[in-house]
Structures are given as structure tokens and as C-alpha cells.
Amino acid sequence: MRRVATVLTAISMTALALVSAQAATLRVGLQDDPDALDPALSGTYTGRFVFAALCDKLVDISPELKIVPQLAEAWEWAPDGKSLTFTLRKNVTFHDGTAFDAAAVKYNIERMKTMPDSKRKAELAPIASVEALAADKVRFNLSEPFVPLLANLSDRAGMMVSPKAAGEKVGEFAAAPICAGPYQFVERKSRDLIRVKKYPGYWNAGQIGYDEVVYYYVPDSTVRLSRVRAGDLDIAERIAPTDLKIVREDANLALHSGQGLAVAHLMFNVGAGAKADTPLGKNATLRQAFELAIDRNVINRVAFNGEFLADNQMIPPSSPFYDHAHKIPARDVAKAKAMIAAAGMTRVPIELQYENTAGDNRVAQIMQSMAGEAGFDVKLLPMEPATAIERYMNGNFEAYIGNWSGRSDPDPTLIAFFSCAGSQNVNKYCNKDLDVILTWARGEADEAKRKALYAKATDIYLTALSSIPLYHPNWFFAARKSVGGIVMVPDGLLRLNGVKPAN
Amino acid sequence: MKTLLLRRLGVSLPTLLLVSMMVFGLQKLLPGDPALALAGEERNPEVVEYLRQKYRFNDPVPVQYAVWLKALVHGDFGTSVRTRLPIGTMLVEKLPVTIELAILSMLVALLLGLPIGIFAALRRGTPFDYGASLFGLAGLSIPHFWLGIMLILVFSVNLGWLPAGGFVSPFESVGRNLLSMLMPALVLGTGTAAIMMRHVRSAMILAMKQDYVRTARAKGVRDRTIVLRHALPNALIPVVTLGTLQFGELLAGAVLTEQVFSIPGFGKMIVDGVFSRDYAVVQAVVLCTAAVFLLMSLIADVAYVLLNPRLRS
């Protein structure tokens, strides 16, 4: 009998050891396979998601969208706004053991500005030169005052990679990235998993809660959720709004949600080639009528179970620069009809193009039916994404449902879509007054004054309505209750500092 | 046998070349600009132009093809433009997964399809036969996607017996590898089993009507021997054809099953490759699949000869 008891104890001890060994691994389900794991090249959300473990940035953003220290402890703008000096954190090392210092910062900024296929060039364009003043002091000299720079440095443009590794492995860096984040790269099985392990030399090592984090590629959102429910995964990102009920009702799961930065908006071609020659493209009053014909809350309710945020602005309400004076106009079909009649028309035709995804399909159909009641004949044109994007970039559309990931600062979004030469201004809207205001705002260091400028800008773009903002998606993560310390930030990235097994 | 093998190899190389040309050419007909698909959300024109130059998207298609073929002859499949990972490594990682899934599904299909088909043929018109037909109909008409999700809900979420997905390498743990492959193999296998069962049944019915069966019966040979020694080998010829074709199809990737169970195989790799216009990846996978397909048809030819002595002369 005693022997049996001993054996049983041994078995249960082994089982316990196995369980605790497993508990030190955090398993995360990602919807997309990340692209190149190099901050200079990365262009996907899931890539940034993995970088949150691997690569610390000069600065970070808080849940309230304030800039907070990360690798830089402090910073100071020159009075003329044309230079920014960072004081760097001391005793920080990259995963290869080399030191993080001012020279490394200089190397990184120059690398991202000069690498031929770097996707960070626009974000860092205002930086004319970088000077290493001391081991822990570095100055960025700007060609013009540019307040959004800090926000840009809170994302990939501010991620620091090991100069030694990047210099030695040109072209191969993405296969084994070396940064200064809490976890270091172990392996990547393409289209399957990315494994990272705790970096003991991390400057904030006390906040690391797991020995290992594994990111699995699980494309289907229902399957991702099932795997968290089965205990196969600990966290799944982007749960479909239609599945949230299951998460809320599962006693083992916690739903982590938060406002996002992204925006979905209906763009009208107002000046790009032949497709701009439509009643809606030529007449702002008709676009205003279109806005009155649709009900954003209905779109949110029907397409997303009411789980997203219906809104009429490009900037999300979580931003300190959101303009609360411009409320969503209520749906008014009679007024929309009157405006169409005043424009001398009865039926207004428009062809609506969008990427053939479940969400956009529903949104397009709902808008078609609502706008139809007011007199708009919306013809739907769903397209395979790569084809749709090419047509979008070439301005080859009458109307397009745009999905923009958003930025923590209003500048990149508003400049991209509404300045005359904006990179996303593919529908060719141009208003010189708005250009002046937006340029002024990016140099204005005083937050209150800057906010007033964005209020003016909002007034202009909401009157012209070259684009009708529709809603902001919210973030939904499902996690096992055994995972503690998850904090949602509007950029939707899972920061791992402080994430540890809950007791 | 030797001449057969040599002849088949002689045909295979030009076939592969033709396949590669077709895939290459057809991909270039796809609308959508690969450089734009790669350049990130902001699509800086400078970066787009650099990518076009770097990956030779501006060159004439025959030139691009020649460059690709030359590298391939030297054993270089190229680099995925999306992930910057070498495609050769990706193939080496994914091919064993795909082959294992195909073999296990085939095993499920054979274990279910053969006996059910044989018994349905021998007990024609009985409730067993009707039951088998029902199974066949169900196996063919239940979508893999739905069946997969149902299995996950029952065996992983509710019962907690099996992992809900993911792939464990057999080198890591054979047991966990088989557990992780069980549901996907079952989902793929039942579909193939249904087709297999229908074919075995009709081939068996035909074989049992042959003169040699009647002769054997007249000689007083036992039923079991008649079925196993005389009828079955003859009935197996169409099954071999079907089996190898189905196997080839399984190797080309089972997109939906892979997606449901997050199995990193060929299917989803091709689909994602097409969507992100990662041409080199699609070319490599299609070529690899075509090669395996040719190998399978060679195996089928050898099997015919082994099963049918009349072909041996």
C-alpha cells in the first residue's frame, strides 16, 4: 500500500512539475502571419505585436495616449522646436550583450532613413541629423519643428536594434532580430510560430512574467477562440464581435477590450482622374446628404453587434485632440432627399468599391440599403484585396471603404488623407487653407493651441466630406484567467512588461 | 520495369518545366501590383519603386522566368518577399507536415473505405449497404470546415481530450504529434474514405460477377479466399488510380482543414502567397506539389504492374 502511495505521489509530483513548466510559457494566437521581423521593414499589425516582446522603443504610449519613457528616460525640445534631446536609460543592453547608447540610437535612425526599402522614411523625414552628445545623451536636429515625432518614435521608428547584428547580417536580420526588449528571439517556423524567451539582462527584468512566449499563427477567429477555450492558447487577439458573448459567458476566460486608433471611412473620389466625374465626387452637398442618409449606429449594431464605436471623425475619441464639438449628425432621410432635390436630381448613382472581407461586405450592404431610401443608387463592387489596393492607390474608384490603422498622434492620419500631397490622398482632395492649418499644427508645441488648430481642421474636412468617417473598431482579446496584468493600449499591442501568471 | 521508370522520368522533367512556365505566366496575369502589396500601409513611392527594381517586377516576364529558373537549377528557391525568409527552408519545414497529414488521412480513408466498400458490395441491398451509402453521402457532403470546428468543440473544448490545433513535430514528441494530427486526418480522411468506399463497392460488385469467380466457386473455394485472393486484387486497380490521385490532392494542401486546425502545410501557404502576391513562394510550392504528383503517378504505374500480372510482359 505504501509503495502504491509513493508511486502515486511521484506521478503527481511529475505532473505538477510538468504543469508548472508549462505555466511559464505564454501562448498567444495571432490572426496573421507576421511579415519581416525588422522594425525598418515591418508593415503588419501582427509584426508590431511580436515586436512588443522583442524590441523596446525610445518612448512608449500610455493607455491615455500620453508619451511615456521607455529606452529614453527623459527628453527636451529646444525652444525653437527644431531639436529634441533625449536622455537615455543607462545599463541597457541588446540581446547580443552589446551596449545601448547614443551611438546606437544614431545608427538606428540613420539605418531607417537610408535603407532603400525602409518603410520608416516618411515617419523620420523631419530629422536632418542625429548627434551623440554623450553616451546617454542624443540630439535629433530637425529640418522644421515637428511635434508628432515623439509619437512616431513610440512605434517601429523608435525601435532600437543592435547595430552589431544589423551591420553583420545585412539582409538576414529579419530572420533573427536582435533588439533590447524583455524577450529575445529564439526561432521562427514560418507560417507556424515565433518563439521568444526571457532576456535576463533586460533593464526591467523584474517585470518579466514568463520564461517563454510563443506566438502561433491561427488565422480563423472562431478557431482562435476555441483554442483559448480548450486551454491550448492563453491569449487570442482580435476576437470577432459576434463571438464576444461566448467569451463573456466562459468562467475560465477574461475579455480584454479597449478603444482603438483605427478608423473605417467612406472615401469619395473628388479629383483623381475620370472616376471623380460623378455627382457625389463633384458636389459636397450631395456627400453631406449621403452622410445624413446613413445611420452609423445601425451599421455598428448590424455589422458588429454594436461592439465597435460609431463615430464621425478620423481621430478616435480616446485622443486628447478629438473634437467634441462635432457630434455625429442624426440620420435624416427627408433632409437628404431635399438636398438631392436641391441639386436638381432624384436618383444619385455611385459605385462603391471595397476589399472583399466579411466586415466591409456587411457595412457596404447596410449603407447601400440605407442610402437607397434617400435616393442614392449604390452599386457594390467587392474586390480581392491586392487588386482593390492597386485600384485604390491609382484613384481608380468612385467610392471606397478605407480601413486605416490610425496613429497615436492626429498628424499622420490627417496629413495623409487631407493634405494636398498626402500619401493616402488618393481621392485627390485639396484645400490650401487646411494644408496651412495642418502644417502649423505639427509645429505647435502648446497642446491647447494645437487642439484648437485640429478643431478648425476637423470643421473643414467634415464640411468637404471627401471622406465620411464611419466607425472605430475596438480591440478584443480573449485570455485565460490564469494570465494577469494585461493592459489594453489603443494601439492594440500586447505589452508584456507586467504580464505574468495570476495566482 | 526499368524501361517504364526511365520513360516516366523522361516525361517528368519536361512536364515540370511546363508546369513552372504556366504558373509563372499565369501569376503575372493576376491584377494587383506586388510592390504595392509589399510596401506597407503608407506605400511610399520611393520604396515601391525600389521594390520593383529589387524583385525585377519591371523586367519582361521571360527575363524574370529565366532568372528564376537559373537560380532554381542552382538549388535556390529564392526568398519570400513578405517575410524575407528563404523559401527552401520553408519547403523543408512544410513538406514533411503536408506529407504526414496526407499519409495519415490516406490511412484513415483506407481503413474506413476499403472494408466498408467490400462489405457493402458483398451484402448488396442489405441495411449495411444502405448504411454505407449514407456514410458515403455524408462524408462527401459535410464541409470539412464545419466538421473540423465541430470536432474541436466536442473533443477539445468540451471534453478536453485532444489539442484544438497546432502542429507538434514528431521529433519533439511522437505521441503529441499523433494527437495533434488525429482530428485533421479524420476530417480529411472521411471525405476521401467516402469516395473510396463508393469505388471499391462498384469495382467489387463487378469483380464478383466475373467468370473466374464463378469458376472458383464451382471448385468449392471458400468465400473468404474468393474475395481476398481472386476478386479483391482485380477490384483494387481503380482504387489505386483513385488513391494516388487523392493522395496527390492531399499533398497540394487542404486549405480549409489546415486553417481550422492551424496546421502549417502547403495549402494555406499557396493561398496566402497568392493574396500577398508573393510569387516566388507560390511558384516553389506548386513546383514541389507537381513533382510529388508525378512521383505518385509513377508509383501508381508500378502498383498496376504488381497487381496485374498481364502488364508484366
Side-chain angles (χ1 to χ4, degrees):
Chain A
M1 193 64 205
R2 185 173 290 170
R3 193 178 288 167
V4 173
T6 321
V7 169
L8 277 178
T9 320
I11 290 175
S12 59
M13 290 295 276
T14 321
L16 251 173
L18 279 175
V19 167
S20 58
Q22 264 188 346
T25 298
L26 182 71
R27 297 154 305 169
V28 184
L30 300 178
Q31 177 171 307
D32 304 302
D33 185 31
D35 58 343
L37 287 181
D38 179 339
L41 299 174
S42 162
T44 54
Y45 163 70
T46 44
R48 293 163 70 210
F49 207 91
V50 175
F51 283 135
L54 286 173
C55 302
D56 268 12
K57 308 161 285 188
L58 287 177
V59 292
D60 199 5
I61 52 168
S62 70
E64 299 77 33
L65 288 177
K66 298 280 182 209
I67 305 289
V68 293
Q70 199 165 49
L71 289 177
E73 282 180 324
W75 52 90
E76 197 179 10
W77 284 100
D80 65 354
K82 289 181 77 168
S83 78
L84 176 63
T85 307
F86 286 101
T87 306
L88 305 177
R89 198 175 288 284
K90 290 176 204 63
N91 301 321
V92 174
T93 52
F94 291 107
H95 299 147
D96 58 0
T98 56
F100 163 74
D101 54 14
V105 175
K106 181 177 161 69
Y107 174 88
N108 268 282
I109 300 298
E110 284 168 1
R111 175 176 185 260
M112 292 201 237
K113 278 179 72 78
T114 54
M115 214 165 124
D117 42 354
S118 162
K119 288 177 186 157
R120 307 282 87 81
K121 284 179 184 171
E123 293 154 45
L124 298 173
I127 301 178
S129 66
V130 183
E131 285 176 83
L133 304 174
D136 65 338
K137 280 252 189 291
V138 61
R139 184 163 65 208
F140 291 13
N141 297 312
L142 311 187
S143 51
E144 60 196 334
F146 188 65
V147 188
L149 181 62
L150 277 173
N152 287 354
L153 294 172
S154 74
D155 195 354
R156 288 159 297 197
M159 287 177 193
M160 297 289 122
V161 307
S162 156
K164 180 167 173 268
E168 279 170 6
K169 301 191 296 177
V170 183
E172 287 167 42
F173 182 83
I178 292 179
C179 294
Y183 292 86
Q184 65 188 98
F185 182 83
V186 178
E187 62 167 339
R188 174 175 192 173
K189 290 186 181 152
S190 77
R191 319 184 41 73
D192 184 8
L193 60 85
I194 293 171
R195 192 187 305 276
V196 300
K197 69 172 185 201
K198 176 180 174 169
Y199 175 50
Y202 185 55
W203 61 270
N204 199 4
Q207 289 294 305
I208 302 180
Y210 290 90
D211 295 324
E212 186 183 67
V213 181
V214 188
Y215 295 93
Y216 291 96
Y217 168 43
V218 187
D220 188 83
S221 116
T222 312
V223 174
R224 234 169 17 255
L225 177 57
S226 303
R227 290 187 60 178
V228 179
R229 292 177 70 200
D232 254 11
L233 292 174
D234 300 302
I235 302 177
E237 56 102 355
R238 279 181 287 174
I239 299 300
T242 39
D243 284 338
L244 295 181
K245 192 166 170 275
I246 299 174
V247 184
R248 290 186 178 116
E249 285 171 358
D250 192 321
N252 295 315
L253 301 187
L255 178 68
H256 299 270
S257 57
Q259 273 191 26
L261 299 172
V263 62
H265 57 126
L266 175 62
M267 291 177 96
F268 292 102
N269 186 346
V270 295
K275 295 261 175 149
D277 192 21
T278 62
L280 275 156
K282 287 187 295 192
N283 189 338
T285 315
L286 285 178
R287 297 196 290 273
Q288 288 158 9
F290 195 97
E291 187 186 28
L292 289 174
I294 59 170
D295 187 333
R296 293 170 167 97
N297 289 310
V298 170
I299 295 177
N300 183 26
R301 218 167 36 238
V302 177
F304 307 110
N305 273 18
E307 301 280 2
F308 284 174
L309 187 69
D311 187 42
N312 64 333
Q313 296 182 32
M314 295 296 279
I315 306 301
S318 55
S319 166
F321 298 99
Y322 182 80
D323 184 19
H324 293 277
H326 285 92
K327 300 259 178 273
I328 303 183
R331 186 178 190 221
D332 192 338
V333 177
K335 193 169 168 197
K337 275 184 180 162
M339 287 163 94
I340 293 173
M345 302 186 79
T346 46
R347 303 298 299 177
V348 185
I350 185 80
E351 186 182 77
L352 173 58
Q353 217 181 100
Y354 52 94
E355 289 160 40
N356 196 2
T357 59
D360 280 354
N361 258 313
R362 285 196 291 256
V363 171
Q365 285 166 17
I366 299 163
M367 285 202 293
Q368 179 187 44
S369 123
M370 287 191 293
E373 288 171 33
F376 293 97
D377 293 321
V378 183
K379 193 179 144 207
L380 303 185
L381 193 64
M383 292 245 164
E384 177 267 329
T387 314
I389 288 167
E390 187 184 28
R391 297 177 67 136
Y392 166 84
M393 287 310 285
N394 293 329
N396 184 8
F397 61 88
E398 290 182 11
Y400 193 97
I401 300 181
N403 289 289
W404 176 247
S405 64
R407 301 289 183 268
S408 55
D409 191 274
D411 176 80
T413 302
L414 297 182
I415 288 276
F417 286 97
F418 300 120
S419 79
C420 297
S423 66
Q424 302 294 314
N425 192 347
V426 292
N427 51 344
K428 300 293 172 209
Y429 165 74
C430 187
N431 179 329
K432 297 283 183 222
D433 293 340
L434 184 57
D435 262 20
V436 170
I437 294 172
L438 290 176
T439 313
W440 193 357
R442 53 167 37 176
E444 179 57 70
D446 184 283
E447 193 172 309
K449 285 186 190 158
R450 202 167 170 231
K451 191 171 174 181
L453 288 170
Y454 283 128
K456 262 189 208 161
T458 308
D459 194 56
I460 296 176
Y461 82 75
L462 286 185
T463 309
L465 279 183
S466 60
S467 210
I468 302 180
L470 300 171
Y471 64 90
H472 301 289
N474 288 331
W475 296 111
F476 299 106
F477 295 177
R480 306 284 302 173
K481 285 211 171 123
S482 54
V483 183
I486 296 175
V487 177
M488 298 299 285
V489 179
D491 62 12
L493 305 180
L494 178 68
R495 284 155 179 77
L496 291 168
N497 279 352
V499 174
K500 42 185 76 173
N503 291 323
Chain B
M1 191 64 106
K2 212 176 191 177
T3 44
L4 173 83
L5 287 175
L6 280 175
R7 210 169 53 222
R8 278 322 210 100
L9 280 177
V11 179
S12 297
L13 272 179
T15 312
L16 281 178
L17 204 67
L18 206 68
V19 167
S20 74
M21 278 181 197
M22 276 172 63
V23 176
F24 206 96
L26 285 174
Q27 278 201 100
K28 301 291 167 184
L29 291 180
L30 283 175
D33 182 339
L36 280 180
L38 288 172
E41 196 177 36
E42 278 164 9
R43 304 184 192 94
N44 185 332
E46 209 183 302
V47 175
V48 171
E49 195 43 48
Y50 172 80
L51 288 171
R52 281 196 189 118
Q53 299 282 342
K54 180 172 177 185
Y55 296 110
R56 296 170 167 272
F57 295 142
N58 287 339
D59 288 358
V61 177
V63 175
Q64 291 184 40
Y65 178 73
V67 170
W68 175 77
L69 196 64
K70 195 178 155 207
L72 185 73
V73 172
H74 291 93
D76 180 9
F77 280 96
T79 313
S80 156
V81 292
R82 191 170 172 277
T83 58
R84 313 272 169 140
L85 297 175
I87 295 170
T89 320
M90 281 164 91
L91 291 179
V92 171
E93 274 174 21
K94 307 305 161 217
L95 189 62
V97 180
T98 308
I99 289 183
E100 189 192 347
L101 183 59
I103 290 179
L104 289 177
S105 323
M106 213 43 184
L107 220 59
V108 170
L110 287 174
L111 286 177
L112 287 174
L114 269 184
I116 298 181
I118 293 171
F119 280 111
L122 297 178
R123 313 234 187 301
R124 247 177 106 189
T126 63
F128 181 87
D129 188 23
Y130 294 125
S133 297
L134 199 68
F135 162 76
L137 208 63
L140 284 176
S141 49
I142 291 177
H144 289 176
F145 194 81
W146 182 85
L147 184 60
I149 294 211
M150 287 303 130
L151 286 178
I152 289 179
L153 282 179
V154 174
F155 291 103
S156 304
V157 177
N158 290 336
L159 297 173
W161 292 352
L162 294 170
F167 172 75
V168 183
S169 161
F171 298 109
E172 214 174 289
S173 156
V174 176
R176 280 172 55 214
N177 168 266
L178 289 178
L179 280 184
S180 71
M181 283 301 206
L182 187 60
M183 286 198 288
L186 214 60
V187 166
L188 281 176
T190 42
T192 312
I195 306 174
M196 186 94 61
M197 187 278 283
R198 299 298 306 177
H199 278 259
V200 171
R201 182 179 173 274
S202 42
M204 220 29 212
I205 289 173
L206 215 67
M208 290 303 281
K209 283 186 187 151
Q210 297 298 316
D211 291 343
Y212 56 78
V213 170
R214 199 180 320 124
T215 312
R217 200 161 267 158
K219 285 200 302 186
V221 180
R222 281 192 309 168
D223 268 4
R224 223 175 94 172
T225 319
I226 293 175
V227 171
L228 292 180
R229 293 266 333 258
H230 298 279
L232 189 59
N234 287 292
L236 276 183
I237 297 216
V239 177
V240 168
T241 317
L242 180 82
T244 43
L245 283 178
Q246 286 286 326
F247 191 76
E249 219 161 273
L250 288 171
L251 281 172
V255 183
L256 291 178
T257 310
E258 281 176 18
Q259 172 149 344
V260 171
F261 294 103
S262 341
I263 301 275
F266 271 2
K268 195 78 174 51
M269 191 166 160
I270 291 193
V271 172
D272 286 357
V274 170
F275 279 128
S276 56
R277 301 291 188 269
D278 206 340
Y279 293 149
V281 169
V282 179
Q283 273 141 228
V285 178
V286 172
L287 200 66
C288 207
T289 313
V292 178
F293 224 109
L294 286 172
L295 186 72
M296 288 314 299
S297 70
L298 180 68
I299 291 177
D301 284 347
V302 174
Y304 291 150
V305 176
L306 293 181
L307 282 172
N308 190 344
R310 276 173 293 184
L311 289 175
R312 270 177 224 166
S313 52

